[in-house]
């Protein structure tokens, strides 16, 4: 517990973590509001599906160039500017919604703009952690950030439903804007060591970032195994709505309960000493893969609501270790002037793995059904965990080789 909470002794990190927690809550409130708005404007499934797609697309397009930019400029100034842009965009969107001037493509367009701002800030947001906390507390800082995000996932939709029901969509969007402003204020007040401005050559520096990761086995090999984990865990995210439809005739509150169970599992997993204190990512990946495999097997065969909730809870335990562990491992292995680009590569692998995996498992499920797809995914996860564990034992290094 002390290893995880240690970074909170650093005043800047504590303030930034608290503000980011509010921002994460605001994000889930806004996410729920977007779904409510688009559902009120159209009944077309293809148009509704464009909203999350528009939000995720910028990760593929802009993460790596943004990482290159973040490594070449003063990171604090860059992040403050992005937070100001968040507040401005949200304010404009809230005004348009309040005036009744927003249409379907306006919601989709906002999702893309919001996703773009998130994509260009995410690599640098994570890259500044080693500049805020001591090196031996970076893992705890990354895990705390992940715990805050997943904890907000458990609470945010419920809070968003209350705000939306009692105060309307404008208030929900405005609450997110206020939380983004809080993050910007904390970053503005952070007195970091001024980062020298470098020459920004986006394409060349982006390619250098990819080569840097690829030529360092301590980063390349764990990231490769993690990409296989993301591919194998994809049925959880791709088919969760379909699993929810099997209970209470698809009641949306059931889906919310599943996400809440996953979020609670992730928070509890974040306080597990085995996951937060070990320096060997191979061990963390092996443990996370086993938990995730058990979760997929339970969800795939369960006909019981409590048992299925338990499966999502176990999935959260496994997910937090791998998703936060790979970030902290890559941050600690990367040189300071490459951190934003390294995290950008991680984000691309993360989004690409889940995106490609969801499509692939969709094709597989068409042929073998949901239950067998979940069981096959569980077997794949066990294989990933076994390889990670055996390679870690063989090398004795802090990462699988």
């Amino acid at each position: 517990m002390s290893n995880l909470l240690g970074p909170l002794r650093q005043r800047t990190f504590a303030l930034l973590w608290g503000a980011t927690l509010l921002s994460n809550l605001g994000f889930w409130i806004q996410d729920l509001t977007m779904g409510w708005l688009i559902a009120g404007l159209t009944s077309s499934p293809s148009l509704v599906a464009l909203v999350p797609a528009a939000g995720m697309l910028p990760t593929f397009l802009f993460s790596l160039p943004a990482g290159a930019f973040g490594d070449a400029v003063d990171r604090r100034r860059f992040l403050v500017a992005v937070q100001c842009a968040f507040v401005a965009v949200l304010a404009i969107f809230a005004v348009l919604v309040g005036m009744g001037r927003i249409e379907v493509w306006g919601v989709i367009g906002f999702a893309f703009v919001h996703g773009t701002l998130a994509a260009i800030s995410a690599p640098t947001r994570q890259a500044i952690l080693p500049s805020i906390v001591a090196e031996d507390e970076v893992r705890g800082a990354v895990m705390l950030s992940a715990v805050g995000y997943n904890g907000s996932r458990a609470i945010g939709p419920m809070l968003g439903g209350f705000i939306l029901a009692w105060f309307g969509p404008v208030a929900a969007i405005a609450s997110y804007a206020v939380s983004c402003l809080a993050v910007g204020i904390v970053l503005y007040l952070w007195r970091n060591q001024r980062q020298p401005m470098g020459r920004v050559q986006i394409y060349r520096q982006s390619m250098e970032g990819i080569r840097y990761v690829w030529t360092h086995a301590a980063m390349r090999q764990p990231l490769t195994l993690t990409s296989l984990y993301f591919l194998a865990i994809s049925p959880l995210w791709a088919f969760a709505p379909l699993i929810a439809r099997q209970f209470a005739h698809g009641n949306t509150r059931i889906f919310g309960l599943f996400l809440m169970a996953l979020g609670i599992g992730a928070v509890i997993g974040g306080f597990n000493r085995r996951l937060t204190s070990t320096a060997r990512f191979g061990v963390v990946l092996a443990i996370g893969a086993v938990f995730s495999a058990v979760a997929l097997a339970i969800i795939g065969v369960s006909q019981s609501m409590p048992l299925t909730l338990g499966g999502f809870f176990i999935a959260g335990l496994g997910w937090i270790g791998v998703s936060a562990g790979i970030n902290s491992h890559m941050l600690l292995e990367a040189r300071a002037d490459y951190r934003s680009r390294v995290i950008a590569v991680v984000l691309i692998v993360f989004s690409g793995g889940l995106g490609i995996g969801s499509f692939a498992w969709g094709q597989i499920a068409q042929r073998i059904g949901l239950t067998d797809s979940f069981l096959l995914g569980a077997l794949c996860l066990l294989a990933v965990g076994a390889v990670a564990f055996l390679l870690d034992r063989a090398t004795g290094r802090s990462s699988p080789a």
Side-chain angles (χ1 to χ4, degrees):
M1 179 73 73
S2 60
N3 289 335
L4 180 63
L5 299 181
L8 291 174
R9 291 192 294 265
Q10 301 287 338
R11 182 174 179 272
T12 298
F13 176 79
L15 290 173
L16 183 59
W17 185 81
T20 302
L21 180 61
L22 289 176
S23 180
N24 288 334
L25 285 171
F27 168 77
W28 290 111
I29 293 169
Q30 177 263 163
D31 186 64
L32 184 75
T33 303
M34 292 283 286
W36 184 85
L37 285 172
I38 194 70
L41 292 170
T42 180
S43 58
S44 168
S46 59
L47 288 176
V48 171
L50 275 179
V51 174
M56 291 187 66
L57 179 61
T59 300
F60 293 96
L61 299 178
F62 306 128
S63 286
L64 191 56
F69 190 80
D71 281 332
V73 302
D74 185 88
R75 289 174 177 143
R76 183 185 71 90
R77 287 182 164 184
F78 173 55
L79 290 174
V80 169
V82 174
Q83 290 304 124
C84 291
F86 265 119
V87 174
V89 168
L90 288 165
I92 293 171
F93 188 62
V95 169
L96 291 175
V97 170
M99 295 173 61
R101 301 291 296 276
I102 202 72
E103 299 294 339
V104 170
W105 287 103
V107 177
I108 295 170
F110 170 77
F112 182 81
V113 172
H114 177 273
T116 299
L117 293 175
I120 66 177
S121 64
T124 304
R125 281 275 286 273
Q126 295 190 51
I128 66 172
L129 288 179
S131 302
I132 296 176
V133 301
E135 182 175 331
D136 61 349
E137 293 182 329
V138 169
R139 282 189 178 84
V142 173
M143 189 64 74
L144 270 173
S145 299
V147 164
Y149 178 80
N150 285 280
S152 67
R153 183 205 298 272
I155 301 171
M158 181 172 56
L159 182 60
F162 173 81
I163 294 175
L164 197 58
W166 285 90
F167 303 104
V170 174
I173 298 166
S175 67
Y176 183 32
V178 171
S179 67
C180 290
L181 180 61
V183 175
I185 291 172
V186 172
L187 288 167
Y188 179 78
L189 296 175
W190 170 40
R191 292 293 170 243
N192 67 320
Q193 183 176 355
R194 184 65 60 85
Q195 184 178 338
M197 297 283 287
R199 185 178 179 185
V200 180
Q201 297 178 308
I202 297 295
Y203 178 78
R204 181 180 66 80
Q205 290 167 334
S206 297
M207 293 302 101
E208 283 180 359
I210 294 174
R211 283 194 296 270
Y212 179 72
V213 172
W214 184 252
T215 56
H216 288 74
M219 289 187 284
R220 180 184 70 245
Q221 293 159 351
L223 192 58
T224 300
L225 278 177
T226 303
S227 70
L228 297 177
Y229 170 86
F230 289 146
L231 287 169
I233 194 70
S234 293
L236 176 71
W237 305 104
F239 304 137
L242 296 180
I243 296 297
R245 290 182 67 88
Q246 297 175 7
F247 301 94
H249 305 290
N251 188 326
T252 55
R253 286 176 291 184
I254 299 298
F255 184 43
L257 281 177
F258 288 160
L259 295 182
M260 184 180 296
L262 190 146
I264 293 171
V267 170
I268 293 176
F271 286 94
N272 184 285
R273 185 176 178 82
R274 184 68 169 170
L275 293 178
T276 58
S277 63
T278 181
R280 298 167 62 181
F281 177 66
V283 175
V284 172
L285 178 56
I287 295 172
V290 170
F291 272 112
S292 300
V294 172
L296 285 194
I298 290 174
I299 294 169
V301 302
S302 173
Q303 300 295 318
S304 162
M305 176 71 178
L307 187 59
T308 304
L309 282 171
F312 276 92
F313 174 82
I314 296 171
L317 295 175
W319 175 260
I320 188 72
V322 178
S323 59
I326 188 61
N327 284 345
S328 59
H329 175 83
M330 299 292 277
L331 278 175
L332 289 169
E333 290 290 340
R335 250 172 47 191
D337 55 336
Y338 277 89
R339 284 175 184 150
S340 292
R341 280 169 286 182
V342 167
I343 291 299
V345 173
V346 175
L347 290 173
I348 291 171
V349 168
F350 169 83
S351 299
L354 291 183
I356 295 170
S358 295
F359 176 79
W361 284 106
Q363 303 306 306
I364 293 170
Q366 287 278 66
R367 290 166 172 79
I368 67 175
L370 277 182
T371 296
D372 288 343
S373 295
F374 273 94
L375 293 176
L376 181 58
L379 289 175
C380 293
L381 284 166
L382 288 176
V384 171
V387 171
F389 179 75
L390 292 174
L391 289 178
D392 182 83
R393 288 289 298 272
T395 60
R397 293 171 60 93
S398 61
S399 61

